[in-house]
């Protein structure tokens, strides 16, 4: 399967199937000298693992990460970092039924058409477990970015149409909400909606917002490797993400230039700032020094217990009711995945941008 590698300098390759021996990632291109241990990576993975709330699948997956290479005496060595999470609680028989038919909204049909057969156990490579490698690699990227003063934070913006009220939102609330919503009233309302959807054997979607703070201006390449284009690709590559917006996103289509333009202002320290941030921190494919603001639309979980119509592998119309353990909403577990993909993309672009100016290269070599 081609296309399992992301990034140009900070390069990550994820591997593994939901019900194979394990899932993991190889990170190549991580600079030497970053302090790193399993506990640090585990903290990020714990935000993704299921079974923590009523709104994620009751599967109990420990998802314990093991570092297999690339770290010596608590620091990255500059060589490939290999991370593995062994699959432990898989119940493949839950999924034997889906071998014979195509789940509406899932990737069963397209995998069969592309490869002629598929690892149907838990969705194989199209499973949400594939994102474990992304989050583990994203943890390293986030730690490295933090050391540069760049912070990436994602949270749930809405679920099933219930949106956060920005006046009530606080970043301190994110970890208090089982849905990772910064507005606890909206979180309670969304929980009630999910209870209802669970009774109806249905599922809900939502929006994840991600903010990158501390980003200097001028990161990103101006043509095919635009920062916004690469962020969109990074986040759209997550299963179930169906739309990505930067800044005001689709709303710009109905705005007028006089409102949509962000006025530049001279900041106190002699630098240049913007009065507003409709652009979401990116102009011409490069960061403009404001916070980068990205939103991802996540569809409702496709595997639902409610009766649905589909077709089996013999091409016959059938009615199904999907068994197995599935999230009634994907959004909360995907929050850290969006954060990880954003961090991986931003870090790669930061590293790529280091060769863009001769004066900075000279400054670097003079220091040697
Ligand atoms: C973290 C995460 C968890 C997911 N959990 C499930 C799940 O329990 N059941 C399911 O049917 N789909 C789940 N998905 C979504 C499927 O992987 C996805 O819808 C499927 O691969 C089809 O791809 P597409 O929706 O991008 O077209 C999950 C996705 C993510 C990112």
């Amino acid at each position: 399967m081609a296309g399992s590698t992301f990034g140009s300098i900070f390069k990550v390759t994820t591997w593994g199937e939901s019900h194979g021996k394990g899932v993991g990632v190889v990170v190549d291109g991580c600079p030497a000298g970053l302090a790193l241990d399993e506990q640090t990576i585990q903290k990020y993975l714990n935000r993704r693992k299921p079974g923590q709330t009523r709104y994620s699948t009751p599967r109990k997956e420990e998802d314990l990460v093991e570092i297999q290479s690339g770290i010596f005496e608590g620091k990255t060595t500059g060589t490939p970092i290999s991370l593995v999470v062994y699959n432990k609680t898989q119940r493949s028989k839950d999924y034997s039924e889906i071998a014979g038919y195509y789940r509406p909204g899932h990737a069963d049909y397209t995998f069969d058409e592309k490869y002629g057969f598929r690892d149907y156990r838990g969705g194989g490579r199209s499973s949400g477990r594939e994102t474990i490698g992304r989050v583990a690699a994203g943890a390293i990227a986030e730690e490295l970015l933090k050391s540069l003063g760049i912070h990436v934070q994602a949270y749930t913006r809405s679920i099933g149409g219930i949106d956060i009220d920005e006046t009530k939102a606080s970043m301190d609330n994110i970890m208090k909400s089982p849905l990772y919503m910064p507005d606890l009233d909206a979180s309670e309302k969304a929980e009630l909606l999910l209870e209802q959807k669970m009774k109806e054997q249905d599922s809900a979607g939502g929006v994840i917002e991600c903010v990158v703070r501390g980003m200097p201006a001028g990161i990103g390449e101006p043509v095919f490797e635009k920062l916004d284009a690469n962020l969109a690709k990074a986040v759209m590559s997550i299963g179930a993400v169906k739309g990505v917006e930067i800044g005001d996103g689709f709303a710009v289509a109905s705005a007028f230039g006089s409102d949509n333009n962000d006025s530049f202002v001279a900041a106190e320290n002699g630098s240049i700032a913007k009065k507003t941030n409709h652009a979401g921190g990116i102009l011409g494919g490069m960061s403009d020094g404001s916070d980068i603001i990205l939103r991802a639309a996540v569809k409702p979980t496709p595997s639902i217990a409610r009766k649905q119509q589909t077709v089996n592998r013999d091409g016959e119309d059938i009615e199904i009711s999907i068994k197995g353990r599935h999230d009634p909403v994907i959004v909360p577990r995907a929050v850290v995945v969006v954060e990880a993909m954003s961090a991986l993309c931003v870090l790669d672009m930061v590293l790529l941008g280091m060769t863009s100016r001769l004066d900075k290269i000279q400054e670097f070599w003079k220091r040697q």
Side-chain angles (χ1 to χ4, degrees):
M1 186 189 291
S4 287
T5 300
F6 179 83
S8 305
I9 296 182
F10 195 90
K11 220 182 243 283
V12 303
T13 303
T14 71
W15 57 267
E17 291 79 28
S18 177
H19 289 219
K21 277 200 169 169
V23 288
V25 66
V26 176
V27 179
D28 201 7
C30 180
L34 177 74
L36 194 69
D37 56 23
E38 282 163 352
Q39 289 87 323
T40 305
I41 300 171
Q42 194 62 50
K43 270 193 245 152
Y44 290 83
L45 285 174
N46 289 350
R47 289 166 60 198
R48 198 217 71 95
K49 76 179 183 191
Q52 307 202 99
T53 71
R54 281 180 50 61
Y55 316 108
S56 73
T57 147
R59 290 189 305 262
K60 283 270 177 258
E61 291 163 0
E62 284 311 316
D63 293 350
L64 291 179
V65 69
E66 269 180 33
I67 298 176
Q68 301 205 312
S69 66
I71 315 282
F72 183 63
E73 295 180 340
K75 283 191 177 157
T76 56
T77 57
T79 60
I81 303 168
S82 181
L83 304 172
V84 61
V85 167
Y86 290 105
N87 293 329
K88 290 209 169 121
T89 64
Q90 278 50 43
R91 296 199 322 214
S92 301
K93 64 177 172 9
D94 279 356
Y95 297 92
S96 51
E97 217 182 81
I98 64 167
Y101 63 71
Y102 299 125
R103 281 174 295 171
H106 218 292
D108 309 327
Y109 172 64
T110 45
F111 262 75
D112 261 4
E113 286 295 307
K114 182 170 174 67
Y115 299 106
F117 79 118
R118 76 192 130 101
D119 179 352
Y120 54 80
R121 304 161 306 162
R125 191 83 178 127
S126 69
S127 157
R129 279 187 80 69
E130 179 271 330
T131 61
I132 286 176
R134 299 171 185 245
V135 174
I140 303 176
E142 277 199 62
E143 292 300 310
L144 209 158
L145 285 170
K146 271 189 215 164
S147 75
L148 305 176
I150 300 171
H151 297 266
V152 188
Q153 166 94 71
Y155 47 85
T156 302
R157 171 96 219 183
S158 74
I159 284 183
I162 297 168
D163 210 336
I164 57 164
D165 175 345
E166 281 186 17
T167 62
K168 293 188 195 160
S170 157
M171 293 300 135
D172 296 336
N173 289 338
I174 297 172
M175 298 310 278
K176 292 182 197 153
S177 155
L179 304 173
Y180 300 122
M181 279 179 127
D183 166 6
L184 296 177
D185 288 345
S187 177
E188 269 178 40
K189 282 186 200 138
E191 284 174 55
L192 290 176
L193 176 89
L194 289 175
E195 297 284 348
Q196 186 60 33
K197 291 296 134 197
M198 282 159 84
K199 277 189 208 134
E200 294 167 1
Q201 299 186 312
D202 211 344
S203 58
V207 174
I208 296 169
E209 192 161 80
C210 185
V211 182
V212 184
R213 297 189 175 85
M215 191 73 174
I219 302 295
E221 305 299 318
V223 186
F224 295 118
E225 303 294 332
K226 286 188 160 92
L227 180 56
D228 39 0
N230 284 350
L231 276 169
K233 177 176 177 177
V235 173
M236 272 298 255
S237 74
I238 302 167
V241 171
K242 294 294 130 189
V244 175
E245 285 188 332
I246 308 279
D248 285 3
F250 269 63
V252 299
S254 54
F256 297 107
S258 51
D259 293 326
N260 189 58
N261 290 342
D262 300 308
S263 295
F264 285 107
V265 286
E268 274 171 19
N269 56 4
S271 65
I272 292 174
K274 286 165 34 219
K275 260 191 177 171
T276 50
N277 191 16
H278 298 288
I282 303 176
L283 289 169
M286 292 163 277
S287 56
D288 66 14
S290 306
D291 289 350
I292 293 173
I293 299 173
L294 171 148
R295 276 178 296 279
V298 182
K299 75 182 192 183
T301 318
S303 302
I304 50 174
R306 191 189 277 207
K307 281 200 168 73
Q308 298 180 88
Q309 208 192 319
T310 189
V311 164
N312 64 21
R313 289 192 79 187
D314 299 324
E316 296 156 344
D317 285 320
I318 54 166
E319 200 175 64
I320 56 160
S321 171
I322 297 170
K323 297 186 186 73
R325 301 164 291 171
H326 297 280
D327 298 341
V329 61
I330 293 167
V331 173
R333 294 186 52 216
V335 165
V336 68
V337 186
V338 168
E339 190 176 293
M341 288 312 297
S342 304
L344 286 169
C345 177
V346 164
L347 175 61
D348 197 42
M349 302 247 69
V350 165
L351 296 175
L352 263 174
M354 288 183 67
T355 54
S356 67
R357 282 170 62 160
L358 181 59
D359 56 347
K360 298 223 163 138
I361 297 172
Q362 285 167 335
E363 204 179 295
F364 174 83
W365 283 106
K366 265 184 224 148
R367 266 196 263 126
Q368 299 302 299

